[in-house]
Amino acid sequence: MTDKSNKKLHGIYAEFDSVDTLLPACRKVRDAGFTKTDAFTPFPVHGIDKALGIKPTALPWIVLACGLTGTTVAVLMQVWMNTIDYPYIISGKPFFSMPAFIPVSFELTILLSAFGAFFGMLALNGLPKFSNPVFTSPRFDRATDDKFFLYVDSADPRFDAKGVSHLLAEAGGSELQEVYEDESETSVPKWVIGVVGALALLSLIPLLIAARMRVTNSSKPRFHVFYDMDFSPAKDAQVTTSLFADGRAARPDVPGTVAVGQFDEELDFYTGIDMEALSKVDSGRVGRLVRAMLYPDDPANPSDPTKAEEKPADLPKGEETPSEQPKADDKPADDKPADDKPADDKPADDKPADDKPAETAPSADKPAEKTKPADEPAAEKKPEPAAAASQPAVASPSAPAANAQLKDTTPWLKKNPLEISEEVLMRGRAQFEIYCVTCHGNDGRGNGLVNR
């Protein structure tokens, strides 16, 4: 028989057969003023915390504090990153956007709350605990089977071995058992401490290496974790390989692949312009569109291929380009006045109409123009409407009306070249929501996030 006189008493427990006898015993022990008690049952028992007088745990407050800390850290982190340190607009959202900050804030709140619940539970329960003296009793193993146990710890201020035994017996305990301290070693072995310390030091090596690589340069190649992904075997054309079932190293193109400059669709599809009609009125513009679609990287192409550059010939009279201006050695026309003044600025001569040159005389089939009095200068003659209408519009940035006239004359397609179907409409809607909604809004009225 084991000598228990030299061992320290850890506590006393009583055995009960059912919940109906356990709960009244718990209330009786609670009313007696004992606070360091516990009950062990094979299944959860509703109301046992209240029967033992166990106060609510502080764990919910720990979880709340950790969650609020996570929310605060996440919001401040995003404000610093996206608003102060590196202001950057993403998808038209403002720098400080709480709706955009919610996902990260939510995740960090849940993460720190979980940490608080896990580590807080361990701390409040005094865990991890490698052994408990009650486990040394063979009868206590039935706590996970069909028996219920009420335990009073010797650390309770009101604990008295004889008084506790008498109280538990009166409460209906069928089997009373004294529990003594476990004599096994309570300190952690030194070799365990050494192994844990060595592992902790070794775990710092990768961090130190990464920190050193960030601030230093090296002439050696980088370390390859997956060597085959950095140096994959290359195959020549028209050779065999065992990697694919068909034995060919050269792989066929993905279905739907279009090489640069080899699209099958017509230019009408990509530009929205009837190219055949445009070629009849402006063949040069058609050529520029073709070059822009076939060679988009050519710097000579306009930034917008649908907007053709105006011909220099469209400039009004008297504003010729340098290449069209007369050379210095060119002689002026014979009908130019000698004093460099326009002919219309001179007063009419007193010569009769019959003395005019033949080329200026009115033809027989046209009515003779009414001559003006001699004292009325010809400069006051207004230009004829036909001559004014024959002047082309000037296409320049300073003339918006001319640009509007150019757009109006463009032969845009009247009919969508695509076959309208539900699939095409849904794809167009998806593309519009991806690229256009941020500026133009969902209804296309220009009330998107960027505008707002």
Side-chain angles (χ1 to χ4, degrees):
M1 188 172 180
T2 305
D3 184 13
K4 299 181 180 179
S5 59
N6 296 328
K7 293 183 179 181
K8 181 181 178 182
L9 185 63
H10 188 271
I12 300 174
Y13 70 78
E15 183 179 318
F16 297 86
D17 295 329
S18 65
V19 175
D20 296 335
T21 57
L22 175 66
L23 287 177
C26 292
R27 297 187 187 98
K28 191 169 187 178
V29 172
R30 178 199 65 190
D31 295 340
F34 292 93
T35 56
K36 291 188 177 298
T37 60
D38 205 348
F40 302 91
T41 61
F43 53 83
V45 177
H46 180 70
I48 199 168
D49 292 347
K50 184 178 180 180
L52 285 173
I54 298 177
K55 296 180 180 180
T57 177
L59 188 61
W61 295 103
I62 296 176
V63 175
L64 177 62
C66 292
L68 293 177
T69 302
T71 304
T72 305
V73 170
V75 172
L76 294 179
M77 177 183 66
Q78 293 176 97
V79 169
W80 165 256
M81 292 179 177
N82 198 63
T83 307
I84 301 174
D85 185 52
Y86 191 77
Y88 189 69
I89 294 180
I90 301 174
S91 300
K93 295 188 288 291
F95 295 131
F96 181 83
S97 175
M98 280 305 301
F101 292 168
I102 285 177
V104 175
S105 303
F106 172 79
E107 295 296 338
L108 206 56
T109 301
I110 297 301
L111 179 64
L112 293 191
S113 298
F115 285 164
F118 179 74
F119 293 107
M121 178 272 299
L122 293 179
L124 294 175
N125 291 326
L127 299 176
K129 186 179 293 184
F130 297 101
S131 66
N132 194 314
V134 297
F135 296 156
T136 61
S137 176
R139 297 189 63 87
F140 189 77
D141 294 341
R142 299 183 67 178
T144 59
D145 188 7
D146 60 347
K147 291 297 181 179
F148 302 83
F149 295 87
L150 178 59
Y151 180 80
V152 180
D153 199 304
S154 62
D156 193 286
R158 299 178 61 86
F159 182 83
D160 177 71
K162 294 182 179 180
V164 170
S165 299
H166 181 70
L167 179 62
L168 292 176
E170 288 184 350
S174 60
E175 180 70 28
L176 275 67
Q177 183 73 38
E178 293 181 348
V179 179
Y180 291 88
E181 292 287 354
D182 191 359
E183 293 181 347
S184 59
E185 185 67 32
T186 57
S187 61
V188 180
K190 294 182 179 180
W191 67 269
V192 175
I193 297 177
V195 171
V196 173
L199 293 176
L201 292 176
L202 291 175
S203 65
L204 297 177
I205 295 178
L207 299 177
L208 295 175
I209 294 176
R212 178 179 178 275
M213 294 175 65
R214 289 180 62 87
V215 297
T216 58
N217 297 325
S218 175
S219 59
K220 298 179 180 180
R222 62 190 177 91
F223 181 75
H224 302 277
V225 179
F226 301 101
Y227 191 84
D228 56 337
M229 298 187 68
D230 292 306
F231 302 98
S232 58
K235 295 291 184 179
D236 295 330
Q238 306 298 329
V239 298
T240 60
T241 179
S242 60
L243 295 176
F244 304 102
D246 58 4
R248 295 187 299 168
R251 308 312 304 151
D253 294 333
V254 177
T257 302
V258 179
V260 176
Q262 297 182 5
F263 56 85
D264 296 330
E265 301 289 347
E266 299 292 337
L267 280 177
D268 298 13
F269 177 83
Y270 290 97
T271 62
I273 301 175
D274 188 347
M275 303 303 294
E276 183 177 356
L278 182 63
S279 63
K280 297 179 181 180
V281 297
D282 193 347
S283 59
R285 186 179 178 191
V286 173
R288 289 191 292 274
L289 287 172
V290 172
R291 287 196 303 272
M293 298 303 297
L294 293 179
Y295 309 103
D297 298 332
D298 189 352
N301 294 326
S303 58
D304 189 352
T306 61
K307 295 180 180 180
E309 299 175 0
E310 294 302 317
K311 299 179 181 180
D314 292 337
L315 295 175
K317 202 170 186 179
E319 297 184 10
E320 294 83 7
T321 58
S323 59
E324 296 179 352
Q325 291 179 356
K327 299 180 181 179
D329 54 354
D330 291 345
K331 295 181 179 181
D334 295 340
D335 55 353
K336 185 176 180 181
D339 53 1
D340 293 334
K341 291 184 180 180
D344 295 341
D345 293 342
K346 285 187 174 185
D349 295 336
D350 295 333
K351 293 182 180 181
D354 296 338
D355 295 341
K356 292 183 179 180
E359 62 272 15
T360 60
S363 57
D365 55 348
K366 292 183 180 180
E369 296 181 358
K370 189 179 297 184
T371 59
K372 294 183 179 182
D375 57 348
E376 182 181 353
E380 296 180 3
K381 183 175 68 173
K382 297 182 180 179
E384 298 180 2
S390 63
Q391 293 292 339
V394 179
S396 64
S398 60
N403 291 333
Q405 182 181 1
L406 175 62
K407 292 180 181 179
D408 293 338
T409 58
T410 301
W412 301 104
L413 292 178
K414 305 295 184 184
K415 183 180 179 182
N416 195 326
L418 290 176
E419 182 179 353
I420 304 301
S421 63
E422 183 177 0
E423 181 181 358
V424 172
L425 293 177
M426 295 305 296
R427 184 186 177 196
R429 176 180 178 179
Q431 297 296 313
F432 182 83
E433 291 177 348
I434 292 172
Y435 299 105
C436 311
V437 163
T438 54
C439 294
H440 296 273
N442 289 314
D443 54 1
R445 297 180 180 272
N447 56 349
L449 287 175
V450 174
N451 184 35
R452 294 204 299 267

